[in-house]
Amino acid sequence: MQVGSEYGRAWYANQKEHWIGWLADYEGPGAYVKVPNGNVAAENVYRRMVCTPAIFWLVVQSASIGRTATQALVTSILADPNAAMARHSAWIRRTVPWDSVQSALLNRAPISKEEFSGACATLRKTQEKLRIHCYSQKAWAATQEFEQTVDEVEMDIKKIILSLPSRSIAQRQIMRKNAEKLIGDGSNEKRSAARQLISALDELEEREREALNRKLSGMKPAERVIHAFIRVPPSETETRLIRVLMDHPGSTSTELSRALGWDAQTWHLHFGTMCKSREADLWPADPSDIRDASFYSGILANFDKRTASWELKPEVEAAFRDLGI
């Protein structure tokens, strides 16, 4: 499969380095002058990558495909070697859907602190290599423009705060991250500006949530669910999370995970993430009884502590059936 579409002329030496460079700049234009869309979910990244060897490397390294299936996949690709990269990549994704890759990754053993530190160093070196050797003038200019809008509060803080309503979700997240970093290691002037920025972000996001809640206040719970899942349609994985609970009410997270073909007890984690991402369109999550956090899964489902089992709230299940889920 060589190392990529450019083979020996690629900036990266292997597909691991390719993935590191691609992901390191994913929230910005990057070397490929992408249009940042704010969706940095792993499933979305998997769908957007169209380099056949990169996708192939990921599914093999994550152990989400067996040897026989791997050989069949290579045979099908090589049977039509002149097909476009996008077509080859689509073949791989059909053979190995995201659920399989995700499950394989979640079941890998955690890495050590030393491995994590080494991975961070590799990421920095790869990103620098990418920027020095690969960026075209257009890509470099686009990245610089993107980063300047979210960088170390170089501009007048008042102008930055006034610009917040027009910033994308991805830009706001990076601005907040940079501001938090400056509070820890910036100068006194930058620490003050960073605190003002975070306070302004908190206030803006709270106003936006209140405005949305006022807009939705006249809706019944089922109507809110329909509104939320029409505004942000469920992904393939989210649809499976919902359906498995509809088909197996009163099951534990372990049982629901197994019904999805996942070895780990992860159903409730993914379900909670799905609820959290739509909390503003639904209703606030109640506080958790077991930790200092919100109980996001409880937005849409009831949890029986005695049996550790789950079931959709009746009005929520009715809404999902109306949506055809």
Side-chain angles (χ1 to χ4, degrees):
M1 298 291 287
Q2 304 297 324
V3 297
S5 58
E6 296 295 323
Y7 300 118
R9 298 187 299 277
W11 69 268
Y12 44 87
N14 51 60
Q15 289 305 328
K16 179 178 181 178
E17 195 170 58
H18 187 189
W19 271 109
I20 291 173
W22 171 261
L23 293 173
D25 274 355
Y26 195 79
E27 289 182 306
Y32 306 94
V33 201
K34 303 183 300 295
V35 177
N37 64 2
N39 188 347
V40 295
E43 182 175 3
N44 185 62
V45 175
Y46 186 62
R47 289 177 176 175
R48 291 189 78 188
M49 171 61 86
V50 295
C51 175
T52 309
I55 293 289
F56 184 81
W57 181 90
L58 177 64
V59 300
V60 172
Q61 290 296 322
S62 64
S64 54
I65 182 173
R67 178 176 294 275
T68 301
T70 301
Q71 292 172 338
L73 184 60
V74 172
T75 300
S76 66
I77 291 174
L78 296 184
D80 190 5
N82 296 319
M85 276 276 191
R87 183 176 176 186
H88 280 159
S89 299
W91 286 350
I92 298 177
R93 279 188 283 266
R94 281 197 296 271
T95 304
V96 191
W98 168 245
D99 285 350
S100 299
V101 179
Q102 181 186 49
S103 180
L105 291 173
L106 288 172
N107 282 292
R108 291 172 70 90
I111 64 174
S112 66
K113 291 183 179 180
E114 291 74 17
E115 288 174 316
F116 180 76
S117 177
C120 290
T122 301
L123 186 150
R124 289 191 294 271
K125 291 178 181 178
T126 301
Q127 189 173 27
E128 185 64 22
K129 178 180 178 181
L130 170 66
R131 294 191 169 188
I132 292 175
H133 298 291
C134 179
Y135 273 42
S136 65
Q137 186 174 0
K138 179 181 178 182
W140 179 257
T143 299
Q144 290 295 97
E145 180 182 358
F146 179 82
E147 292 183 347
Q148 283 171 5
T149 66
V150 295
D151 212 352
E152 299 181 353
V153 198
E154 297 287 348
M155 299 165 51
D156 183 340
I157 188 62
K158 292 182 180 179
K159 292 181 179 179
I160 294 178
I161 291 174
L162 288 173
S163 74
L164 291 180
S166 64
R167 298 299 181 191
S168 69
I169 293 175
Q171 287 178 321
R172 291 185 192 179
Q173 289 173 340
I174 297 175
M175 293 171 84
R176 183 183 290 276
K177 188 185 302 181
N178 286 340
E180 290 170 346
K181 181 177 182 296
L182 285 174
I183 290 176
D185 57 19
S187 64
N188 289 337
E189 182 181 355
K190 288 189 174 181
R191 286 179 182 175
S192 175
R195 291 190 183 96
Q196 291 180 58
L197 178 58
I198 290 177
S199 177
L201 280 168
D202 290 341
E203 290 176 8
L204 174 62
E205 290 169 0
E206 180 61 28
R207 289 199 304 271
E208 290 177 341
R209 281 193 292 270
E210 290 177 354
L212 183 59
N213 282 330
R214 285 195 298 270
K215 178 181 176 182
L216 301 176
S217 61
M219 290 185 178
K220 296 178 180 178
E223 294 173 330
R224 285 199 177 198
V225 173
I226 292 173
H227 166 83
F229 282 85
I230 288 179
R231 196 174 78 83
V232 183
S235 65
E236 178 183 340
T237 297
E238 289 176 337
T239 299
R240 294 186 65 201
L241 290 169
I242 296 167
R243 284 178 178 167
V244 75
L245 184 55
M246 293 173 72
D247 294 340
H248 303 84
S251 297
T252 64
S253 180
T254 299
E255 292 168 339
L256 293 168
S257 299
R258 288 174 180 168
L260 289 170
W262 301 345
D263 293 334
Q265 181 187 329
T266 55
W267 174 87
H268 67 287
L269 298 177
H270 296 294
F271 190 84
T273 299
M274 176 187 73
C275 295
K276 180 180 179 181
S277 68
R278 294 174 174 81
E279 182 182 19
D281 288 321
L282 295 166
W283 46 88
D286 293 329
S288 172
D289 292 335
I290 59 175
R291 63 181 186 276
D292 184 18
S294 297
F295 181 41
Y296 292 109
S297 296
I299 294 176
L300 298 178
N302 292 321
F303 179 66
D304 188 327
K305 296 179 183 178
R306 183 177 56 83
T307 60
S309 60
W310 301 83
E311 64 178 3
L312 284 172
K313 295 180 177 179
E315 63 274 23
V316 171
E317 181 169 358
F320 283 143
R321 294 194 184 281
D322 286 344
L323 287 167
I325 295 178

